[in-house]
Amino acid sequence: MSTNKLKHPGRRLLTLLLVVVLGYVGLAIGAATGRTQMTPGLALDLEGGTQIILTPTTSDGSEITDEDLNQAIEIIRQRVDASGVSEAQISRQGGNNIVVSLPGTPSEETLDLVRNSAVLYFRPVIRILQASAATYAEAQNNYVASQATASPTAPATDAQSSTEAPEEAPAQESPEAQAVPTAPVTTEEMATSLADVNGDGTIGPDPLESTSDDHSSDAWISEQLIYDAYMTDCTSPESLTGEVQDPGAAVISCARDGSGAIYILGPADIAGTNVRSASSGLETTSQGNTINNWVVSLEFDDQGAQQFADVSERLIAYRDSAATATDATSVNSQKAQFAIVLDGLTIMASGFNPDVVTAITDGRVQISGRFTQAQANTLANQLSFGSLPLSFTVQSEQRISATLGTEQLRNGLIAGLIGFALIVVYLGWQYRGLGIVAVASLLVAAAGTYLVIALLSWSMGYRLSLAGVAGLIIAIGITMDSFIVYFERVRDEVRNGRTLVAAVDEGWRHARRTIIVSDSVNLLAAVVLYFLAVGGVQGFAFTLGVTTVVDLAVIILFTHPMLVWILRFRFFGEGHRLSGLDPEHLGARSRAAYRGGLLAGSAAATGSLARRRAAARRAQERADDTSPTDEDTESKESTDSHSGKEDEQA
Amino acid sequence: MKSLAQLGNELYSGKTSFPFIGRRRLWYAIAGAVMTASIVLIATVGLTPGIDFRGGSEVTVTSLANPAVGPANRVLAEEGLASGASVTTMGSSSVRVQTNELSNDELNTLSAALTDAYGVTEADVSATTIGPTWSADVTSKGVRGLVIFFVLVGALIWGYFRTWKMAVAALLALSHDILITVGVYAASGFEVTPATIIGVLTILGYSLYDTVVVFDKVRENTDGFETQTRSTYGELANLAVNQSLVRSINTSVVGVLPVASLLVVGAFILGAGTLRDIALTLFIGMIAGTVSSLFLATPILVDLRGREKAVKEQADRVAQARDQRLAQAGDDPEALAAIAATPVAAPVIPGHHLGFSAQPKRKRKRP
């Protein structure tokens, strides 16, 4: 009748117990060493935070590809990470939306970083400042301090000569020489002296004298701008977060790599949207050989190519004039450079190689430097992102205060506890002693689910949301259902006339099928929801899936062994009135299912006409004769093997 | 009163039997009427789209000792945003203000004004703006998820039970559940939020779970039904539904209890929110799911299979065998009564050797 009987239920129970305990020990170790916490991470709706949903739109109506979105996410992630926000979640949601979730209350600057689309511009360099005024001032003061009596002019001129245009240098030397004496130089004084182009001692807002009629002209900048540039500390993290800059005006831009270089750049010559493609690769020589030198190849669209032709002609002219100039530090050598600016930060600035002698008109540019492969890739990505004709509109910006989530969580948990208590009462009424098995199973399932979620929160960064909590509460009922299916099957088997031990075994074989297939349906629902649904639905689907799997594990590894095991106790095995396994409760056809081998009680319920007549006849015979009747031997035969075992165990 | 366990025993043996299959036209009519009412409600009254679906701005003020709508209404009037705005209290300490879509500046101004009006700190005020196209995405995703789910789960049921008719019957019952749930939403006027969508999608799994359990019993009972002439396919299926009735009742009570407690806590203590919305949809959907797997899924299955040649022929053979038995009994009142008392379908009890009592009897000569 039963082929794969559970031999050692206690051993299986212990195994499960061990697994759960080990899991918790692992979690505790993780928590103790500060790698995780005992409680699962909470999602934004419970912890509080800001969620921004961005929808990209194309300016030219072209299709948005997956690659575009992934690049956009990559850029946003870089920006948010650079701003120092930890545990920000940036993901795709729905069709084309990008969801940026920032825990806590992010600053307005951080939010702007996310909201603003990445903008790439190519700008001409007007000035390059190697360091801020603060650095110069500090260097000079140190020098003065160390050589209190030495000539004070030296450090200033040294520093200045490398950055300031030589034609301005003589005019500046005198005020600086006077400014040096004994008192330490403040940053403001240093910046003033460095930026004071016309030498009148004050910083004026008027444009400098025009040097040309293109975007490289000094006329775009002013003393004030130079002063501001010197006052900018490009080594500090705050100035490296990027910002949106007016493409039509000269701007101050920091080097993105944090080297501290400050660029004063002219208005944008070419916008990033004019880049058709950018890719990284090994340099190919004119003979077609590949040499081990990483370069980034850039291709402009027609408009970009046109603009780049003008720009390249201009920059080559600056380069040549710088080369012929007697002074190596000519401002023209700076102006010969072209800066790639992403989000207001200069990714790189470079001039043309000496072998480029004519303007580049085909719109194809190869950027070389001493790139590693990774650097080349990054630059190519950055350039391609700037080339995306994508801009973002904020679909929703949600600031969720933690208090709202906490109140909901607390009340949700209260609701869960009330629901749990009601279930316990109902099960006690319906299944009596078996209710204990069900509730114990549920507790094990709860412990298991909590463990799985805490571990997933550790390993995968899963965070529990309010929808997830609702999922867990609802799962109480769904998990219970598999116990009920099992218990009802056991009842059915007893009604069929099996002994209790055999019924548990046989009922399990049937129930297992049903439970596995119906759990598969649930799991399928969870998986479909997880992969196809949006936002909160995902958190819910995830908990639903986890609880379904845990439910399966618990009923196989706990509930079934437990039921087999408790039959060894007299209370259950003999069908005590309160055990939920009593014959009246189960509708047993024969008391033989229990000890004592009493007469069958309810055979009449399904007995056929012939059988009833036979029974009546036997009753008559029994009255005449006290010898054992047919029915007694029959029922003993059919149940012998099982009741025998039961006897041993009881 | 009979206990559920005793009722279960009688249902199991076939001694008591509810005509789930026999009265199926009645159940179809009731389900049809309720579904029609749902469709009419959805078409006329319509669903109330939540802020996520129509777009708009929402400011929530929390940590209030005594939430009142007065200050918020005053602020809205002062800001000139009163038209199309609604103010509701949520739970015991929150006030929610919903308006038409505002610009970022307007929203910040409103948040600040509400912060002042309620005398709370900035951290207790949360502001949301949801664009109207957001909902289109949610809806299309939901619909796509639904279609894919139907296809996959149909294939799963088909593969397990080896008959597409069970898949069709289960999915028809499921459609009924979803329609009813949406209909109740239209009738109650509750706002449809993403949480509602979550609830509706969860019903999918739950309702099918229930149907699959009942079908598993049907499959077992009707296994090899054509080899016997005691009961027809429909009668065996009816027995299966009866036999799983107690389980269905217990399951739905146990399933609905936590949902009901979530609903009570959600609706009466917390007010509108994720918990209440999920709980309401599930509450309706779970009950509808249980009812439909008993009253709709199996009857539909029997109707579908009733067209099969094998099922029809077997039904004829059963009718013949019964006539024969009646004819055999002749006018013996005892025999006729015994035939009448025998359930049309009862479980075949394994493991009993019936001895000579099961052997054909020689007709006893009447005195």
Side-chain angles (χ1 to χ4, degrees):
Chain A
M1 215 185 292
S2 53
T3 45
N4 48 356
K5 214 170 201 165
L6 190 57
K7 290 263 168 46
H8 302 286
R11 215 175 275 177
R12 218 191 254 195
L13 287 176
L14 275 180
T15 312
L16 179 74
L17 204 66
L18 202 67
V19 169
V20 172
V21 168
L22 275 180
Y24 273 100
V25 167
L27 192 64
I29 291 173
T33 52
R35 271 175 290 187
T36 185
Q37 289 171 328
M38 286 305 282
T39 51
L42 296 179
L44 293 152
D45 55 349
L46 293 176
E47 200 181 31
T50 304
Q51 190 180 50
I52 304 165
I53 297 169
L54 302 166
T55 300
T57 46
T58 53
S59 52
D60 58 357
S62 61
E63 189 88 356
I64 299 170
T65 65
D66 282 359
E67 206 182 329
D68 293 348
L69 281 174
N70 289 338
Q71 272 179 10
I73 290 171
E74 186 57 31
I75 295 284
I76 294 173
R77 196 186 304 279
Q78 279 178 7
R79 288 196 223 170
V80 174
D81 285 352
S83 72
V85 176
S86 64
E87 292 187 8
Q89 295 169 10
I90 301 155
S91 58
R92 278 181 69 173
Q93 186 176 79
N96 281 329
N97 289 327
I98 294 175
V99 178
V100 183
S101 305
L102 306 163
T105 317
S107 65
E108 199 62 30
E109 289 75 34
T110 311
L111 292 177
D112 274 337
L113 269 186
V114 174
R115 287 191 205 117
N116 296 329
S117 45
V119 272
L120 177 74
Y121 288 115
F122 295 86
R123 290 173 181 267
V125 174
I126 299 178
R127 293 285 190 279
I128 301 175
L129 316 179
Q130 293 304 332
S132 66
T135 315
Y136 287 129
E138 193 187 340
Q140 177 170 334
N141 290 336
N142 285 346
Y143 183 82
V144 169
S146 64
Q147 309 210 355
T149 55
S151 163
T153 53
T157 42
D158 281 354
Q160 188 187 11
S161 59
S162 65
T163 55
E164 274 295 294
E167 54 263 45
E168 258 96 68
Q172 289 195 339
E173 216 157 84
S174 50
E176 210 165 87
Q178 292 153 6
V180 164
T182 48
V185 174
T186 64
T187 306
E188 286 78 12
E189 286 168 359
M190 179 57 83
T192 305
S193 67
L194 289 172
D196 187 12
V197 178
N198 57 16
D200 62 359
T202 57
I203 300 299
D206 301 326
L208 300 185
E209 200 178 318
S210 176
T211 52
S212 58
D213 57 356
D214 51 42
H215 286 171
S216 300
S217 169
D218 278 357
W220 289 102
I221 61 173
S222 61
E223 286 183 345
Q224 182 64 45
L225 191 72
I226 298 174
Y227 175 85
D228 290 343
Y230 271 113
M231 295 301 290
T232 308
D233 179 11
C234 279
T235 55
S236 77
E238 300 95 72
S239 55
L240 293 174
T241 51
E243 57 181 331
V244 178
Q245 292 178 325
D246 182 3
V251 294
I252 301 162
S253 169
C254 288
R256 195 190 178 89
D257 59 11
S259 66
I262 307 153
Y263 295 89
I264 299 176
L265 306 171
D269 278 312
I270 309 172
T273 48
N274 292 124
V275 176
R276 185 173 283 154
S277 68
S279 60
S280 62
L282 290 168
E283 189 177 350
T284 314
T285 62
S286 49
Q287 281 81 38
N289 300 325
T290 306
I291 55 171
N292 195 18
N293 189 14
W294 284 94
V295 293
V296 175
S297 304
L298 193 62
E299 193 187 331
F300 289 107
D301 62 9
D302 294 344
Q303 193 194 353
Q306 179 66 43
Q307 285 164 328
F308 193 72
D310 297 346
V311 171
S312 55
E313 190 179 1
R314 188 172 87 219
L315 296 187
I316 289 166
Y318 278 119
R319 182 195 70 195
D320 294 345
S321 78
T324 52
T326 49
D327 194 330
T329 58
S330 157
V331 74
N332 284 351
S333 71
Q334 296 176 6
K335 284 188 175 178
Q337 293 197 25
F338 203 44
I340 302 170
V341 186
L342 183 67
D343 291 342
L345 295 174
T346 301
I347 301 174
M348 71 174 296
S350 74
F352 287 90
N353 283 338
D355 56 336
V356 181
V357 288
T358 53
I360 298 172
T361 54
D362 65 354
R364 290 170 187 277
V365 190
Q366 203 168 57
I367 307 169
S368 59
R370 286 189 188 81
F371 295 134
T372 61
Q373 183 180 355
Q375 286 168 333
N377 275 335
T378 309
L379 180 58
N381 276 339
Q382 287 166 333
L383 290 173
S384 341
F385 183 71
S387 77
L388 290 177
L390 277 189
S391 58
F392 293 105
T393 46
V394 175
Q395 270 297 322
S396 101
E397 186 177 322
Q398 194 162 4
R399 219 184 78 212
I400 314 141
S401 61
T403 39
L404 183 62
T406 322
E407 193 195 348
Q408 296 251 343
L409 178 64
R410 199 186 56 237
N411 285 299
L413 291 179
I414 291 171
L417 282 177
I418 295 172
F420 182 73
L422 288 174
I423 286 180
V424 170
V425 171
Y426 183 80
L427 286 176
W429 175 52
Q430 275 298 311
Y431 292 100
R432 312 272 166 88
L434 284 186
I436 297 170
V437 180
V439 171
S441 304
L442 192 61
L443 289 177
V444 172
T449 307
Y450 185 86
L451 179 67
V452 170
I453 286 180
L455 288 178
L456 285 174
S457 160
W458 181 7
S459 61
M460 279 174 43
Y462 171 76
R463 283 167 163 258
L464 194 61
S465 65
L466 199 57
V469 172
L472 289 177
I473 294 167
I474 289 154
I476 299 176
I478 295 174
T479 304
M480 272 299 176
D481 187 50
S482 50
F483 308 146
I484 291 175
V485 168
Y486 181 24
F487 295 162
E488 289 295 332
R489 275 326 284 242
V490 172
R491 279 184 178 182
D492 286 358
E493 296 306 324
V494 173
R495 285 165 186 155
N496 264 353
R498 288 200 166 84
T499 63
L500 203 49
V501 174
V504 166
D505 202 47
E506 185 68 15
W508 168 243
R509 290 204 299 142
H510 289 282
R512 189 174 51 190
R513 268 187 83 139
T514 311
I515 291 166
I516 288 177
V517 70
S518 41
D519 268 351
S520 309
V521 169
N522 244 355
L523 200 58
L524 185 70
V527 170
V528 171
L529 284 187
Y530 186 80
F531 284 107
L532 290 167
V534 282
V537 184
Q538 264 185 345
F540 180 82
F542 194 88
T543 41
L544 195 67
V546 166
T547 50
T548 306
V549 172
V550 169
D551 169 38
L552 260 183
V554 165
I555 192 147
I556 292 174
L557 297 173
F558 184 82
T559 314
H560 175 50
M562 177 98 172
L563 203 57
V564 173
W565 185 61
I566 59 165
L567 289 183
R568 295 179 178 189
F569 294 99
R570 201 173 269 262
F571 179 75
F572 288 102
E574 288 182 20
H576 187 275
R577 203 167 47 81
L578 290 178
S579 68
L581 290 169
D582 57 313
E584 177 263 341
H585 218 80
L586 296 177
R589 295 168 53 78
S590 162
R591 290 289 295 189
Y594 302 89
R595 282 155 66 94
L598 296 173
L599 277 175
S602 56
T606 54
S608 67
L609 174 64
R611 220 180 293 163
R612 281 200 218 173
R613 283 182 172 167
R617 200 181 65 242
R618 275 199 300 273
Q620 185 62 42
E621 283 165 8
R622 203 179 294 127
D624 303 341
D625 190 354
T626 47
S627 68
T629 64
D630 292 333
E631 178 148 324
D632 276 346
T633 24
E634 265 165 41
S635 55
K636 263 183 194 153
E637 260 168 42
S638 69
T639 57
D640 239 358
S641 57
H642 302 294
S643 48
K645 255 177 210 137
E646 210 178 10
D647 284 343
E648 282 166 31
Q649 289 163 356
Chain B
M1 200 191 112
K2 245 187 277 186
S3 81
L4 263 185
Q6 278 168 329
L7 179 66
N9 295 340
E10 291 180 7
L11 288 172
Y12 183 82
S13 63
K15 191 177 162 197
T16 307
S17 183
F18 295 110
F20 288 105
I21 308 290
R23 305 291 296 276
R24 61 181 179 274
R25 305 218 183 286
L26 177 64
W27 316 136
Y28 291 163
I30 294 172
V34 178
M35 281 160 79
T36 313
S38 280
I39 293 171
V40 168
L41 269 173
I42 295 165
T44 54
V45 181
L47 296 166
T48 318
I51 193 169
D52 300 84
F53 290 90
R54 59 181 151 80
S57 299
E58 179 180 300
V59 181
T60 312
V61 186
T62 55
S63 301
L64 297 173
N66 187 19
V69 297
N73 279 328
R74 262 201 307 283
V75 168
L76 284 173
E78 279 166 22
E79 302 275 331
L81 300 169
S83 76
S86 72
V87 181
T88 41
T89 57
M90 285 170 71
S92 55
S93 62
S94 309
V95 169
R96 186 181 68 179
V97 180
Q98 291 187 328
T99 66
N100 294 326
E101 199 170 343
L102 301 177
S103 73
N104 227 7
D105 287 343
E106 284 175 312
L107 192 58
N108 286 338
T109 318
L110 179 62
S111 301
L114 287 170
T115 310
D116 288 345
Y118 282 99
V120 291
T121 63
E122 210 174 291
D124 297 323
V125 179
S126 68
T128 313
T129 294
I130 292 141
T133 56
W134 169 228
S135 63
D137 209 30
V138 175
T139 315
S140 70
K141 274 281 179 184
V143 169
R144 201 191 311 168
L146 204 67
V147 170
I148 293 178
F149 178 80
F150 263 64
V151 171
L152 286 178
V153 92
L156 182 78
I157 295 176
W158 186 356
Y160 177 73
F161 290 112
R162 305 286 157 81
T163 162
W164 59 268
K165 286 172 182 170
M166 284 201 171
V168 169
L171 293 180
L172 280 176
L174 177 61
S175 313
H176 158 267
D177 304 340
I178 294 175
L179 197 57
I180 301 275
T181 311
V182 177
V184 170
Y185 250 84
S188 68
F190 274 11
E191 283 189 348
V192 176
T193 63
T196 317
I197 307 278
I198 294 180
V200 169
L201 293 176
T202 312
I203 296 171
L204 303 178
Y206 186 85
S207 164
L208 279 173
Y209 184 106
D210 212 51
T211 309
V212 163
V213 170
V214 175
F215 275 4
D216 212 37
K217 191 78 197 171
V218 172
R219 173 188 61 83
E220 196 180 290
N221 275 4
T222 59
D223 195 24
F225 72 96
E226 57 273 67
T227 59
Q228 49 84 40
T229 53
R230 272 188 72 199
S231 321
T232 63
Y233 183 86
E235 285 159 1
L236 289 172
N238 194 55
L239 175 70
V241 181
N242 275 292
Q243 286 179 335
S244 44
L245 183 64
V246 171
R247 182 216 69 97
S248 291
I249 294 172
N250 280 344
T251 297
S252 27
V253 170
V254 165
V256 162
L257 280 178
V259 173
S261 102
L262 201 60
L263 183 62
V264 169
V265 168
F268 297 112
I269 301 177
L270 290 174
T274 309
L275 294 182
R276 187 198 71 174
D277 291 340
I278 293 183
L280 180 70
T281 35
L282 278 176
F283 187 76
I284 305 158
M286 277 181 160
I287 293 172
T290 309
V291 170
S292 76
S293 42
L294 294 176
F295 289 88
L296 288 181
T298 315
I300 291 174
L301 173 69
V302 170
D303 269 343
L304 283 174
R305 292 213 63 177
R307 296 159 185 275
E308 283 176 32
K309 205 175 154 207
V311 175
K312 269 188 194 161
E313 282 173 359
Q314 193 266 347
D316 289 343
R317 283 204 303 277
V318 171
Q320 256 172 18
R322 280 185 189 156
D323 289 343
Q324 217 171 355
R325 242 177 282 152
L326 278 176
Q328 223 168 30
D331 50 357
D332 180 357
E334 201 188 338
L336 284 174
I339 290 173
T342 311
V344 290
V348 181
I349 311 291
H352 269 240
H353 185 257
L354 298 175
F356 67 84
S357 64
Q359 300 302 317
K361 294 268 184 326
R362 190 183 298 155
K363 245 194 166 177
R364 213 179 276 176
K365 274 182 190 149
R366 286 180 185 283

